[in-house]
Amino acid sequence: MTSSEVLIGIGLIVALAVGAQVLANRLRVPAILLLLPAGFIAGILTDDVDPEKLLGAAFSPLVSLAVAVILYDAGLGLDLSRFRGHTRTVVVRLIWLGALTTCVSAALLAVPIMDMSLGAAVMLGAILVVSGPTVVGPLLNFVRPSERLQRILVWEGTLIDPLGGILGAFVFHGVQAYGQHGLSSQLGKFSGSAAVGLAGGAAGAAVLWLLLRHLALDEMLGTTVQLATVAAVAAFCDAFRDDTGLIAAVVMGMALANLPGLDIPARRPFFETLVSLTIGLLFVAISATVTPESLRHVVLPALGLVGALVFVVRPLVALVSTARTDVPYRERWFIGWMAPRGIVAAATASTFSVALVQAGIGGAEKILPATFLVIVATVMLYGLTALPAARILGVRRSARSRPLLVGGDPWVVELGGALRTAGLDVLVWAGLDRQRRSITDAGLELAPGELLAAATGAGAELEGITDVLLLTGEDDFNALACMTLEETVKGPVHRLRPPTDSHGVVAPYTGGEALFAPGLNRPELVRRYAGGARIITHSFDGAIPAGHDMLFLVRADGQLTAVTGTTVPVPAGGDIAILLSPPAVSPS
């Protein structure tokens, strides 16, 4: 290829990767639903989008390193201390029982249906056990199932990604070793591969632990250090023994997420940006290598495999995993109707299939096109039917707002009680033990864990948070938290208005919508509350009582609207106003 063709090809891959992700965000669909067709169609229409020609022999190693970065990021989400509560039993069963059942079932079906050798079929089965939060998350945000379902499915997707990557890596080395003569030789090669991956992961985790714990690295440099360490360790492991870098990457991520003395931030915007771009580039590049000719004899068998996985295997796994639990049958059936395949499945298929084809494993050339079809079919099927299924089963969460109140002062607790009286499900977070006790004593739900973990990313998805209200007595904390959360929380983020003569570091100068009317700043609200003013609910009957200040409006459909300096909602029939009453008048 000429230099012009290489530049055009690289430019098209980058543009398609980012463009598909932007369009998917606007359409509120999983990005993979657009990334795969975009790469596949581009590969048909032009020879420039052909990563095997663009990169040559470097394509497969680069894919392996990219998958290692993705699996490392997934491993960072495996903070086992947060994995607790009433969903633990169901999720644990879905992970081990689902992975085992799906792998065995897919392998047994692939041998006759896909006309594969047993080794290739087992590899395909191991690849298809993963789903992943990057696919499940957007679907659940659109469907809005009940909180318990949201927790179960998000945790399953988060955990199965790295664990599925480990399973795929181990199966890959087992299949390769199977071709060796003698059982001892097979076990020796398999054990050697596992040992290299585990040792590399342990060494890489130790290096990162020392660097991140003892060096004062900012976010950008810390991200660069992580990326360099993961790439270097994975590359060295792969160079020493093929594809052991994936095991090392997952081990590194899981170790850092659980090692003591190391605080991995709840949000890692720079690193997440790199991972998101890597995912987009990877999917476009991989799907561009899938040709119509490779799909010609695989389409119908792959659809038959999808039918068995969707209509038999997944519902059976869901029913067995929820047996003897308090999960209602309606929710059990919905769990059985949510298992789309995603990022890791395609990436590992691309990585492993090439090596197995080169090793002469029968049917290995069908692994990538079959995985491609399974991903497209499951994402489209679940994407189109999840919402109607949730409606029919009656498992959708209420569309009413669920605000997170940050602060534990008495008036904040009273505000939480008023919002709850107005029909909202309220979550409250406070840092001091006495404040947390007052919150629970008032019968309000206390947000678990750290503030940023509860209010951003997977935490917000798990808790169903729609609004964040920063109500602490520290204006600078409210301002800084507002700046941080506005970039990550999809719903509105409001903070108390600081005093006009504030000398704080950042409070008077930051953006973000300040709560309540201009004259009702934090000191004034505290002063009035200390003087006997109280926070009450008022069913709107045509007028707001004289002398009362409206703070919030809960619409008849349960949507929460805040009063701000620029927005004063107009009440209508059926709305409930949250008011601040006048201060008590002392008797003369």
Side-chain angles (χ1 to χ4, degrees):
M1 299 182 73
T2 65
S3 59
S4 297
E5 290 174 331
V6 171
L7 289 172
I8 291 173
I10 294 175
L12 282 174
I13 290 175
V14 174
L16 287 172
V18 177
Q21 290 177 321
V22 171
L23 182 59
N25 179 264
R26 299 294 299 172
L27 297 177
R28 296 177 62 192
V29 298
I32 190 175
L33 195 59
L34 302 182
L35 287 168
L36 289 178
F40 179 67
I41 294 172
I44 295 175
L45 296 179
T46 175
D47 291 334
D48 293 334
V49 184
D50 187 341
E52 293 178 336
K53 292 182 179 179
L54 289 171
L55 301 173
F59 175 59
S60 182
L62 288 176
V63 168
S64 182
L65 292 181
V67 176
V69 172
I70 294 171
L71 290 180
Y72 169 77
D73 182 62
L76 288 177
L78 287 178
D79 183 357
L80 301 180
S81 65
R82 295 176 57 200
F83 182 44
R84 58 184 183 271
H86 63 277
T87 64
R88 181 176 185 132
T89 300
V90 176
V91 174
V92 169
R93 289 178 183 175
L94 284 172
I95 296 298
W96 75 265
L97 184 62
L100 178 62
T101 305
T102 302
C103 181
V104 172
S105 301
L108 293 177
L109 290 169
V111 172
I113 294 178
M114 304 294 301
D115 192 23
M116 288 180 167
S117 66
L118 181 60
V122 172
M123 187 71 257
L124 179 63
I127 290 171
L128 296 180
V129 303
V130 298
S131 57
T134 54
V135 181
V136 174
L139 284 178
L140 295 180
N141 289 337
F142 179 68
V143 175
R144 290 181 57 83
S146 65
E147 182 181 342
R148 172 163 31 196
L149 278 177
Q150 185 99 0
R151 286 176 178 271
I152 290 173
L153 293 170
V154 167
W155 268 115
E156 181 197 10
T158 302
L159 291 168
I160 197 64
D161 245 8
L163 297 180
I166 292 175
L167 175 64
F170 277 112
V171 169
F172 168 75
H173 292 292
V175 171
Q176 280 196 319
Y178 185 75
Q180 304 295 320
H181 297 291
L183 179 60
S184 60
S185 175
Q186 297 172 18
L187 293 177
K189 185 173 182 179
F190 178 80
S191 301
S193 298
V196 170
L198 293 173
V207 170
L208 280 177
W209 187 83
L210 291 172
L211 292 175
L212 297 177
R213 179 175 170 83
H214 296 289
L215 298 182
L217 303 177
D218 58 23
E219 179 187 329
M220 185 172 296
L221 192 55
T223 298
T224 306
V225 166
Q226 292 180 69
L227 186 64
T229 305
V230 172
V233 170
F236 289 143
C237 289
D238 283 345
F240 187 79
R241 183 161 295 205
D242 290 341
D243 294 298
T244 54
L246 300 183
I247 300 175
V250 180
V251 170
M252 290 170 64
M254 292 179 64
L256 288 183
N258 294 279
L259 280 174
L262 187 63
D263 183 20
I264 298 295
R267 296 291 292 182
R268 305 173 296 277
F270 186 49
F271 192 80
E272 290 169 355
T273 300
L274 290 176
V275 172
S276 177
L277 179 60
T278 301
I279 287 171
L281 296 175
L282 199 59
F283 264 83
V284 172
I286 290 172
S287 56
T289 65
V290 180
T291 63
E293 290 75 17
S294 67
L295 297 177
R296 183 168 300 163
H297 302 294
V298 181
V299 174
L300 291 180
L303 292 179
L305 181 61
V306 169
L309 293 175
V310 169
F311 295 106
V312 179
V313 176
R314 177 63 181 187
L316 180 62
V317 168
L319 291 176
V320 174
S321 299
T322 54
R324 296 184 179 180
T325 67
D326 59 352
V327 179
Y329 275 97
R330 290 176 178 270
E331 295 186 359
R332 298 183 189 191
W333 284 114
F334 187 80
I335 294 172
W337 194 251
M338 183 57 62
R341 271 60 178 182
I343 301 293
V344 175
T348 52
S350 175
T351 301
F352 297 142
S353 62
V354 174
L356 293 181
V357 169
Q358 293 173 349
I361 303 298
E365 72 281 356
K366 299 179 182 179
I367 292 177
L368 180 57
T371 304
F372 177 88
L373 291 170
V374 170
I375 292 172
V376 173
T378 55
V379 172
M380 290 187 65
L381 178 63
Y382 292 125
L384 295 174
T385 62
L387 181 58
R391 286 173 174 166
I392 293 171
L393 294 171
V395 297
R396 295 195 74 200
R397 187 169 62 239
S398 171
R400 305 175 74 84
S401 296
R402 192 187 195 203
L404 169 66
L405 279 59
V406 180
D409 292 337
W411 73 269
V412 176
V413 177
E414 190 168 289
L415 172 61
L419 291 172
R420 185 183 58 183
T421 302
L424 299 186
D425 187 12
V426 180
L427 199 62
V428 188
W429 183 92
L432 300 178
D433 289 339
R434 59 177 177 80
Q435 293 178 333
R436 296 172 73 86
R437 283 195 298 270
S438 67
I439 292 168
T440 54
D441 290 344
L444 297 172
E445 184 176 353
L446 188 65
E450 299 177 355
L451 169 62
L452 293 181
T456 62
E461 291 179 8
L462 290 173
E463 304 301 334
I465 295 169
T466 60
D467 310 73
V468 179
L469 307 176
L470 298 162
L471 310 174
T472 74
E474 296 290 337
D475 296 319
D476 285 337
F477 172 85
N478 294 338
L480 289 170
C482 185
M483 293 170 60
T484 301
L485 297 178
E486 278 186 323
E487 299 178 356
T488 55
V489 175
K490 294 182 179 179
V493 179
H494 297 299
R495 64 185 176 107
L496 277 179
R497 186 182 303 277
T500 54
D501 58 349
S502 171
H503 296 286
V505 178
V506 296
Y509 309 108
T510 55
E513 198 77 53
L515 286 169
F516 313 141
L520 193 58
N521 55 28
R522 178 186 56 77
E524 176 64 14
L525 194 152
V526 172
R527 185 189 67 79
R528 291 195 197 180
Y529 189 82
R534 291 296 176 260
I535 298 174
I536 62 174
T537 60
H538 173 73
S539 297
F540 183 70
D541 55 3
I544 298 297
H548 290 66
D549 290 287
M550 185 166 66
L551 306 180
F552 298 93
L553 194 64
V554 180
R555 298 291 187 183
D557 61 358
Q559 295 300 303
L560 179 67
T561 305
V563 175
T564 67
T566 58
T567 303
V568 180
V570 179
D575 293 348
I576 299 177
I578 309 299
L579 307 176
L580 179 67
S581 70
V585 179
S586 302
S588 57

